[in-house]
Each structure stands twice: as C-alpha cells, then as structure tokens.
Amino acid sequence: MNNQSLMDRRNAAVPRGVASATPLFVKRAKNAEFWDVEDNRYIDFAAGIAVVNTGHNNRAVTQAVTEQIEKFSHTAFQVAGYENYIELAERLNAIAPIDDAKTILMTTGAEALENAVKIARHYTKRSGVIAFHGGFHGRTLLTMGMTGKIAPYKEGFGPFPNDIYHIPFPVPYQGIDTAYSLQQLEKLFKTDIAPSSVAAIVLEPVQGEGGFYAAPNALMEHLRALCDEHGIVLIFDEVQTGFGRTGKTLASEHFDVQPDLITVAKALAGGYPLSGIIGKRDIMDSPAPGGLGGTYGGSPVGCAAALAVLDELESKCLNDRAEAVGSRLHQAFSELKELNPELPIDHIRHKGAMIAFDFVVDGQPEPRHVPPFIKACRSKGLILLPCGQFGNAIRLLPPLTVENHIVEEAIDIMRKALLSLR
Ligand SMILES: Cc1ncc(COP(=O)(O)O)c(C=O)c1O
C-alpha cells in the first residue's frame, strides 16, 4: 500500500468535492507528528484543522474513551441520559464567560451554529442573521449562507436561506477598521433589515478560514451595546478558537464583554465528533422539549474525550503553552523578515497558537507563492494549510502540546522554503 495507490482508489470511490490538502494517507500519529502509509514522518501544523490541541493519540483522552466504550457507546441522550454529558455541561457552563449558563451538546461545528441560530430565532421571535465577510461557519445550507466566502464553499450550492446579511470584518491593514464595519452595520439597519427584525449577530473572535484576524475589543463592545439596545442575540463562534488555541480556554475571555451564546466543537473532544452551544439560561431554555437535539448529539464517547481534554488543558497549562509557541513562531518569522527584507511575506500575526503570515508583493496579496511554499515544506516533512479571503495567507495550527525541538525543526523547514522562493 502506498500513497499513490490509495489516492487512485480514493479518486475512484470518493467524490472530488471533499478536497485533499495533501496527497498523503496516514498510518499512525503521535502528539505533533504523523507517519504516512509509506512510513514518511511529518510534523503536523494543521492539527486536524485545530482539533488535536492536546496532541494526536493523547494518552489520557484515549484512556477515557476506551473506558467509556467498555461501558456503553450510545443510548441517545434524549432517550436515556448519562452522567458525563451533564458533567461536561456543568464544566463548560463554569468555563464560559457567561453568567448563569446552560449547555446543549451536538456533533459537528456546523450543527452547533445551526442550533445557535435556531435558539436565537426562537427566543427573539425574529429571523434575521448578521454575519461577517470572510467568516466561516460550516457547510450545511444555513451555515453556508452565514459563511462570508463564495469559492469554494458556496459556489453552485444556492439558493441559500434568506434573511442572512454580511458586513465587513475589521482588518486594518486591508483598510477596514472597526469604525467602518460599524458604519456598514448601521447602513444595513437602514437599507436591508431593521434591527428589530434581527435575531442574531454571529462572528468568530478570531476569524479562522478567513485569515486569522482577531476581532478588536472595540468591535465586540459596540456589538454588545447594539445587541442590548435592540434585543439581538450575540453569538461568538468558537469552533476554531476554542480550548486553548488562542491562549485562553475560550477566546471569548479576551474581551471585556460577554456573548449570549458560544458555539464550540473541534478541539473540545480532541478528535472525537462533539460540539456544543453554551449560552444564557433564559435564551437556552426558550425552545420546547424536542425542538433541539439529534441522534448522536453529546455522544458519551465524545463527552468522555472532552472531559479528559479539559483536564489536560488545565494540568499541562496548555493556554500558556499556546502563547509561548505562538510567540516563538511569530518571533522567528519577524527575524527572518528583518534579515531578509526582500522576502515576499508580511503581516505576521498570532493570537496564542493561531499564527499566520501573508504573501505580499508590491503591497498586494500574492496567492501564487502559497502552493509552492506549502509543497516545499511538505517535501521536508511539515504539513501546513493556507487561509484567507485572497488565498495568500499561511496558517499554523500546531498541537499545543508540541515539543520545543519540533517547533524549531518546523521553523528551520519554513525558513529554508521561504529563502528558496527568492
Ligand atoms: C469557525 C468555524 N465555525 C464552524 C465550522 C464548521 O465546523 P464543522 O466542520 O465541524 O461543521 C468551522 C470549521 O472549520 C469553523 O472553523
């Protein structure tokens, strides 16, 4: 068995709509590394797209899952409940910066967003949803509608559910500041939807797929004030930013204001499908019994994994580790740029271990460097992903448990690949 033969079988058996970011097929993985079926070793700076924050094959997570599977793996929580769902809800309620919270568990990130909007609509008895350009919220019909990027997510899949609107997300170096975003929101209220018809405003505290841009505190404060004034539900989508990734257990903790609802998934269960919505008690309790749920929502196996993930975050101080790893990578790119000003990279940024830089030529986004750079890194054993509205950003999502010597090895690979672009 080799990568090519599996790719041939994949192409024959699986539709091309599921992309392949790499031509690799994995045999085994450990912490921040995986080995393909040809026994080539790779450093994994994609972390399953921000999922294995606690590392591949984390021993505590695997043990918790194994113990749970030996007891039972599924009953459907709405048929016969189990304690670890309740315990996880209690812990998430305590972690989230929301006073008096309740939590419902689902399976995927998109499902969490779908349900957050359902809850907000039920509570407000309104339908409008406002999201942001460049935001990514999933691939179901509603979440595709909320996603603020056409190719490849929305192309050919319309029409989308109506009553969804988008405004610019502040990215100051692209000429969009908080004041401009808020002006566009006020304009939207005048031209397209009255604030009294808006159920929810939804945004990522740090845009993920959109380019690793952190929302300014001032934006969050203004949105909070507007939502309070007009009775709108404010939703922070923490599917990518959650569980230590930004240097806090939840990125919402970076802000001086509280959201009404928080959606979580990905790193919550360290690789097992589990998501959730944490929110204010009166909002969460609005839908009647049976209005929310799903066969696999809050799987006991996922809950067991998530409780172990929360313990690992705490006992290994992974929030601090995220900041340390992010700062080191940021510093390495800054030094490289300083020593080699002709390198076509700019806008190096990080929020914890969400680290990114852009390829820029003559002040303009340059996506053409992205595929050769990613390929060069992969040929030396480092997995990276692109992101951003212009496709010119490289994002780094190392497991937070990554060892220092692996970080240095990755830096060396990227340094050589960047210098070879000159
Ligand atoms: C911020 C954000 N929201 C929602 C989603 C959708 O999650 P899922 O792919 O689990 O449906 C993603 C996935 O990348 C995401 O990054």
Side-chain angles (χ1 to χ4, degrees):
M1 194 162 44
N2 59 25
N3 287 312
Q4 188 55 54
S5 67
L6 282 173
M7 186 56 88
D8 293 343
R9 281 171 58 195
R10 179 227 200 271
N11 288 340
V14 181
R16 64 195 188 117
V18 193
S20 296
T22 73
L24 306 177
F25 294 85
V26 178
K27 186 155 96 180
R28 66 193 168 89
K30 186 86 205 116
N31 200 17
E33 297 159 274
F34 68 68
W35 286 260
D36 70 9
V37 288
E38 297 170 18
D39 279 325
N40 300 306
R41 172 247 188 197
Y42 294 90
I43 297 172
D44 184 8
F45 271 18
I49 324 184
V51 168
V52 290
N53 288 8
T54 43
H56 286 290
N57 265 2
N58 177 293
R59 190 182 286 273
V61 175
T62 306
Q63 193 179 331
V65 164
T66 309
E67 281 170 15
Q68 179 56 45
I69 287 173
E70 280 171 0
K71 288 185 235 161
F72 64 96
S73 56
H74 179 75
T75 60
F77 185 72
Q78 58 264 53
V79 175
Y82 32 87
E83 193 194 356
N84 67 3
Y85 185 122
I86 299 164
E87 188 184 345
L88 181 59
E90 288 166 349
R91 285 188 67 177
L92 292 173
N93 294 341
I95 286 168
I98 293 178
D99 300 331
D100 201 17
K102 277 192 160 188
T103 290
I104 184 167
L105 299 170
M106 299 287 167
T107 309
T108 67
E111 207 187 354
L113 269 299
E114 288 265 344
N115 280 281
V117 170
K118 277 174 67 176
I119 294 167
R121 283 184 170 171
H122 199 277
Y123 176 74
T124 58
K125 301 183 178 55
R126 307 168 180 178
S127 58
V129 176
I130 296 174
F132 283 77
H133 296 162
F136 182 82
H137 302 290
R139 287 184 172 85
T140 58
L141 265 174
L142 177 60
T143 59
M144 234 192 327
M146 288 153 62
T147 288
K149 188 177 180 197
I150 299 292
Y153 307 122
K154 300 170 80 154
E155 224 163 33
F157 294 121
F160 303 107
N162 60 14
D163 238 2
I164 301 173
Y165 306 85
H166 290 91
I167 56 170
F169 189 88
V171 185
Y173 73 78
Q174 289 170 5
I176 303 167
D177 60 13
T178 297
Y180 180 75
S181 293
L182 292 167
Q183 269 168 25
Q184 295 304 303
L185 180 57
E186 290 296 345
K187 198 165 153 194
L188 192 78
F189 285 158
K190 293 209 164 40
T191 57
D192 290 295
I193 183 164
S196 57
S197 299
V198 178
I201 296 179
V202 54
L203 78 165
E204 297 154 84
V206 182
Q207 280 199 338
E209 310 294 307
F212 280 26
Y213 304 125
N217 211 341
L219 176 76
M220 295 307 208
E221 281 176 13
H222 277 91
L223 291 179
R224 181 68 274 168
L226 277 170
C227 288
D228 287 343
E229 184 185 345
H230 299 293
I232 299 168
V233 173
L234 182 60
I235 306 172
F236 288 178
D237 178 356
E238 290 239 32
V239 167
Q240 189 155 157
T241 53
F243 306 103
R245 178 54 60 188
T246 70
K248 303 266 189 196
T249 305
L250 292 174
S252 304
E253 297 166 54
H254 287 291
F255 305 105
D256 298 332
V257 296
Q258 293 192 355
D260 298 306
L261 303 179
I262 298 174
T263 54
V264 291
K266 289 192 186 274
L268 166 62
Y272 295 84
L274 187 74
S275 66
I277 305 114
I278 314 163
K280 284 189 181 148
R281 176 176 298 265
D282 55 334
I283 301 176
M284 294 295 286
D285 269 334
S286 181
L292 304 175
T295 305
Y296 293 107
S299 142
V301 180
C303 290
L307 289 168
V309 163
L310 295 180
D311 288 344
E312 285 286 279
L313 284 175
E314 246 176 73
S315 65
K316 293 188 173 156
C317 301
L318 293 182
N319 293 345
D320 296 342
R321 180 73 190 142
E323 183 50 40
V325 170
S327 302
R328 172 66 191 120
L329 284 157
H330 190 144
Q331 176 209 29
F333 290 121
S334 300
E335 277 172 13
L336 188 64
K337 177 70 182 171
E338 226 171 273
L339 290 173
N340 305 276
E342 74 287 1
L343 277 184
I345 64 167
D346 207 348
H347 311 305
I348 301 155
R349 52 197 180 271
H350 85 283
K351 192 87 178 165
M354 285 180 93
I355 311 114
F357 63 85
D358 290 357
F359 282 108
V360 176
V361 172
D362 298 330
Q364 296 303 313
E366 180 47 275
R368 272 183 311 170
H369 288 311
V370 169
F373 173 71
I374 287 181
K375 200 170 168 194
C377 289
R378 192 171 65 237
S379 74
K380 300 288 178 214
L382 173 65
I383 303 298
L384 297 173
L385 294 174
C387 69
Q389 219 164 338
F390 307 103
N392 68 322
I394 298 292
R395 60 170 151 168
L396 280 61
L397 287 163
L400 311 182
T401 45
V402 61
E403 300 89 340
N404 283 338
H405 71 92
I406 300 255
V407 173
E408 295 308 317
E409 191 184 337
I411 288 172
D412 199 49
I413 292 171
M414 290 186 279
R415 183 187 293 126
K416 285 179 183 143
L418 284 171
L419 292 174
S420 73
L421 284 178
R422 289 180 302 184

